[in-house]
Amino acid sequence: MRRIAIPLLLLFTLLLGACSNGVVPKENAASPANSTGTVTYQSENGPVQVPVHPKRVVVLSSFTGNVMALNVTPVGVDSWAMKNPRFAERLKNAAEVSDENLEKIIELQPDLIIGLSTAKNVDKLKQIAPTVTFTYGKLDYLSQHLEIGKPLNKEKEAKTWIDDFRQRAQKAGKDIKAKIGENATVSVIENFNKQLYVYGNNWGRGTEILYQEMKLNMPEKVKETALKSGYYALSAEVLPQFAGDYMIVSKDKDTDNSFQSTDTYKNIPAVKNGRVFEVNTKEFYFNDPLTLELQLAFFTKSFLGS
């Protein structure tokens, strides 16, 4: 009965707090269900006491793949992770939650919550379980994985993977350059919600691998418009100006992709020469290790044919 009573009491307290805009008292927070002790994690917002070996982790951000890559299966994740077909099997028993689903999160009895610094209700989330937040883009994509490994007590595992991945990605980049030429350009384009975007070197979709690790060239027009901001919205009419010698086109079957039927698109040299590689948007969004491994394998096969 105690296992049920504590979450119910906390839920009641949180609801009262929500009504009065107050802060939930710390002593009412649910005890970590699987903790055998705590350690202090120095987060960007100060020290946080986290379980030595967190087991019931809720991820309210794009870091679900990072957590799973470190052999921790979350009990709750956001809707974006639930939409990823490559995560489906691992997340079949996980609940879909958001930073507004306080009651649902309480029911999951998390011992650690990971999210973004922009999440809603952070103060209330902290009363449910130790909460670690990160500012998106503050760290580069590999340093971010290493940092996520720290509160999970998996820093060593994260470092090992990073060193190995970087070596493999850079080797593939050298092989690709040797085949397509040192000066060949690659652009990453996505059709999202009826809007075309082109991406810089740090906005997922494989951009980190292509530009940071493989050192492949970005078209000048993309560099001018998307490198600083990470992405740039454009019309189908000007797409040829942003198209590289090779194009990665991220598309969703549920989105209108009629732009690919236009003469403007068909006359792009990369299209005419069969140098367009299409990917599933839902699988390619992020830059966590599970997605990065998929992207690396896809690029290696697409460019090198192996």
Side-chain angles (χ1 to χ4, degrees), residues 147-204:
E147 198 63 29
I148 290 171
K150 294 177 182 179
L152 295 174
N153 197 22
K154 302 278 188 177
E155 183 178 3
K156 181 179 179 180
E157 292 91 329
K159 179 68 163 57
T160 298
W161 178 85
I162 289 169
D163 292 343
D164 177 64
F165 172 79
R166 177 166 276 156
Q167 183 178 29
R168 288 184 286 120
Q170 292 177 0
K171 169 64 167 58
K174 291 178 181 178
D175 293 341
I176 291 171
K177 273 196 169 187
K179 181 173 181 179
I180 69 175
E182 287 287 330
N183 297 321
T185 58
V186 181
S187 56
V188 179
I189 295 160
E190 182 177 281
N191 184 23
F192 179 76
N193 198 23
K194 298 181 180 181
Q195 174 65 59
L196 285 176
Y197 295 89
V198 67
Y199 293 91
N201 68 353
N202 65 346
W203 214 259

Side-chain angles (χ1 to χ4, degrees), residues 68-80:
M68 292 197 297
L70 294 170
N71 293 317
V72 176
T73 300
V75 295
V77 298
D78 67 357
S79 61
W80 290 99

Side-chain angles (χ1 to χ4, degrees), residues 223-275:
K223 193 180 298 183
E224 292 171 8
T225 56
L227 186 59
K228 185 176 180 179
S229 63
Y231 62 92
Y232 180 75
L234 65 156
S235 66
E237 290 73 24
V238 300
L239 179 57
Q241 300 175 33
F242 296 81
D245 298 314
Y246 292 81
M247 292 167 55
I248 310 300
V249 177
S250 173
K251 55 189 289 189
D252 189 331
K253 63 180 178 63
D254 298 323
T255 299
D256 179 8
N257 294 298
S258 58
F259 76 96
Q260 291 184 301
S261 300
T262 65
D263 289 338
T264 299
Y265 179 81
K266 291 178 180 179
N267 286 320
I268 293 174
V271 178
K272 295 173 71 173
N273 294 325
R275 294 175 176 175

Side-chain angles (χ1 to χ4, degrees), residues 258-305:
S258 58
F259 76 96
Q260 291 184 301
S261 300
T262 65
D263 289 338
T264 299
Y265 179 81
K266 291 178 180 179
N267 286 320
I268 293 174
V271 178
K272 295 173 71 173
N273 294 325
R275 294 175 176 175
V276 175
F277 307 135
E278 294 187 353
V279 300
N280 182 340
T281 297
K282 289 185 174 71
E283 293 182 339
F284 249 68
Y285 264 131
F286 301 120
N287 53 21
D288 60 85
L290 299 184
T291 304
L292 289 167
E293 291 287 3
L294 167 70
Q295 293 166 349
L296 178 57
F298 178 85
F299 294 144
T300 301
K301 181 177 181 181
S302 298
F303 283 104
L304 301 178

Side-chain angles (χ1 to χ4, degrees), residues 137-156:
K138 186 175 183 178
L139 299 173
D140 69 75
Y141 76 117
L142 294 180
S143 296
Q144 181 67 75
H145 182 56
L146 185 66
E147 198 63 29
I148 290 171
K150 294 177 182 179
L152 295 174
N153 197 22
K154 302 278 188 177
E155 183 178 3
K156 181 179 179 180

